[in-house]
Amino acid sequence: MNTFGTLFRLTTFGESHGEAIGGVVDGMPAGIDIDMDFIQQELNRRRPGQSSITTSRQEADQVELLSGVFEGKSTGCPIGFIVRNTNQHSQDYENMRCLFRPSHADYTYHYKYGMRDHRGGGRSSARITISRCVGGALAKLALRQLGISIQAYTSQIGDIALERDYRLYDLSKTETNAVRCPDVEKAAQMEELVKKVKAEGDTIGGIITCVIKGCPAGLGEPEFGKLHAALGAAMLSINAVKGFEYGEGFSGVTARGSEQNDIFVSQAQGGVTTATNRSGGIQGGISNGQDIYFRVAFKPVATILTEQDTVDLEGNPTTLTARGRHDPCVLPRAVPIVEAMAALTVLDHFMLNKSTKL
């Protein structure tokens, strides 16, 4: 399962310390303006070495499009791309060759395949999300022409959290600080917490909130292809994600139905809308035209720079002190990844929906 999507499909390849990360986007509509500066900027938001609270690995992450674009527009043919790895320190992982890192994919990959690439996690590394960001950037360019926008932001790190209502914040401020939080004061607190955790050789997790605006009613399938289920599957496929909720989510379970229901009302310009949006823009698995909003929980990064107990390939007890360059908190670099997976999902469902009506 290295391919995501039905009509708009992304197939990815590569390993953290291999020659390159890459992929193929199939199903890109023809005639879409391909803004290379925008695609590169999306990668720059994800790349390592952005600030003092991210990994110090230095990679330009320069994308090369190999096919499917002519005179600045998509041709409708598959778009192949690569991003070359240039700053691998594979020797940092030599002490991990014959043991399993706690809470990593080392054991499960070894058990499933009988072998694994221990260098930076190989295929299980978060560096593989480069391909998602390229595919997501292409999807965003198509969605832009449909008037659909996607904005994610860091809403919690550790116990420092924003209010749940995204409408209370100016989301345009998200890119003004290292943690990608639209509340400047909370962002400063979050950054200090990450620095403290990093100095202790530890890691910390948090929550990313994502808002999709301009999505038309009708996207999603009535039974097994529900839009929120597709978004949940997309988010849960991201490294380190442990939870997903949309709309009021888990906080809504204490409310009565009379408090939770979104009442339908007529619009002045004609048509129907809802007076509130506790459903998160999706009802019965199908978008209703309101903003779609959801939250994604990320665990603390599994690689910590303090000694941990573990076992080797034969099950013998041993200890591990990790080396290398690692993120103390994945949240800031995960914001564009969440947006990318949302874009891939929404565009795919938009294209699927076009086939349901004659």
Side-chain angles (χ1 to χ4, degrees), residues 102-117:
S103 285
H104 271 278
D106 296 348
Y107 171 74
T108 51
Y109 267 59
H110 180 81
Y111 191 89
K112 181 177 179 66
Y113 298 108
M115 61 181 298
R116 65 182 173 90
D117 183 348

Side-chain angles (χ1 to χ4, degrees), residues 92-108:
D92 290 343
Y93 296 87
E94 193 56 36
N95 67 325
M96 306 176 193
R97 177 187 288 271
C98 296
L99 52 78
F100 301 123
R101 294 171 296 171
S103 285
H104 271 278
D106 296 348
Y107 171 74
T108 51

Side-chain angles (χ1 to χ4, degrees), residues 242-303:
K242 304 297 285 186
F244 170 85
E245 64 174 359
Y246 75 102
E248 290 295 292
F250 289 104
S251 67
V253 302
T254 58
R256 305 286 181 92
S258 56
E259 300 169 313
Q260 189 74 6
N261 287 348
D262 292 318
I263 304 302
F264 289 105
V265 296
S266 299
Q267 291 180 299
Q269 65 271 32
V272 173
T273 186
T274 54
T276 55
N277 187 23
R278 300 183 184 98
S279 300
I282 302 172
Q283 294 172 325
I286 299 172
S287 62
N288 66 3
Q290 292 272 24
D291 291 350
I292 296 171
Y293 62 94
F294 57 85
R295 290 154 48 92
V296 187
F298 286 78
K299 70 173 184 176
V301 177
T303 299

Side-chain angles (χ1 to χ4, degrees), residues 4 132 210 212 229-244 294-298 337-343 345:
F4 179 86
R132 299 172 184 233
C210 186
I212 305 172
L231 286 167
M235 299 306 140
L236 290 165
S237 74
I238 300 172
N239 306 57
V241 169
K242 304 297 285 186
F244 170 85
F294 57 85
R295 290 154 48 92
V296 187
F298 286 78
I337 303 167
V338 167
E339 291 180 3
M341 294 308 297
T345 302

Side-chain angles (χ1 to χ4, degrees), residues 146 148 214-219 227 281 286-290 292 346 350 353:
L146 300 171
I148 300 172
C215 187
L219 304 194
L227 184 57
I286 299 172
S287 62
N288 66 3
Q290 292 272 24
I292 296 171
V346 170
F350 183 88
N353 194 54

Side-chain angles (χ1 to χ4, degrees), residues 54-117:
T54 63
T55 172
S56 60
R57 179 170 175 168
Q58 293 296 319
E59 294 275 5
D61 285 353
Q62 192 73 36
V63 62
E64 304 173 43
L65 298 190
L66 306 177
S67 61
V69 178
F70 179 67
E71 295 183 342
K73 293 184 180 293
S74 58
T75 64
C77 297
I79 299 177
F81 63 88
I82 59 170
V83 174
R84 299 184 187 277
N85 295 324
T86 61
N87 191 229
Q88 311 96 307
H89 287 184
S90 299
Q91 68 276 7
D92 290 343
Y93 296 87
E94 193 56 36
N95 67 325
M96 306 176 193
R97 177 187 288 271
C98 296
L99 52 78
F100 301 123
R101 294 171 296 171
S103 285
H104 271 278
D106 296 348
Y107 171 74
T108 51
Y109 267 59
H110 180 81
Y111 191 89
K112 181 177 179 66
Y113 298 108
M115 61 181 298
R116 65 182 173 90
D117 183 348

Side-chain angles (χ1 to χ4, degrees), residues 47-193:
R47 71 175 176 82
Q50 295 181 45
S51 70
S52 61
I53 61 170
T54 63
T55 172
S56 60
R57 179 170 175 168
Q58 293 296 319
E59 294 275 5
D61 285 353
Q62 192 73 36
V63 62
E64 304 173 43
L65 298 190
L66 306 177
S67 61
V69 178
F70 179 67
E71 295 183 342
K73 293 184 180 293
S74 58
T75 64
C77 297
I79 299 177
F81 63 88
I82 59 170
V83 174
R84 299 184 187 277
N85 295 324
T86 61
N87 191 229
Q88 311 96 307
H89 287 184
S90 299
Q91 68 276 7
D92 290 343
Y93 296 87
E94 193 56 36
N95 67 325
M96 306 176 193
R97 177 187 288 271
C98 296
L99 52 78
F100 301 123
R101 294 171 296 171
S103 285
H104 271 278
D106 296 348
Y107 171 74
T108 51
Y109 267 59
H110 180 81
Y111 191 89
K112 181 177 179 66
Y113 298 108
M115 61 181 298
R116 65 182 173 90
D117 183 348
H118 67 284
R119 305 167 303 166
R123 183 69 174 157
S124 68
S125 169
R127 183 156 178 77
I128 308 307
T129 58
I130 283 173
S131 298
R132 299 172 184 233
C133 284
V134 176
L138 290 166
K140 280 185 176 183
L141 290 174
L143 292 174
R144 180 188 293 177
Q145 297 194 13
L146 300 171
I148 300 172
S149 65
I150 299 171
Q151 172 74 67
Y153 62 92
T154 299
S155 55
Q156 182 170 342
I157 292 181
D159 60 356
I160 302 172
L162 304 189
E163 297 290 337
R164 292 177 61 92
D165 191 345
Y166 66 90
R167 296 170 298 178
L168 298 174
Y169 302 97
D170 180 359
L171 301 189
S172 68
K173 295 182 178 179
T174 299
E175 296 294 320
T176 64
N177 55 75
V179 293
R180 292 198 164 91
C181 172
D183 184 311
V184 176
E185 292 183 6
K186 290 281 190 179
Q189 296 174 30
M190 291 176 180
E191 187 169 350
E192 286 304 309
L193 175 58

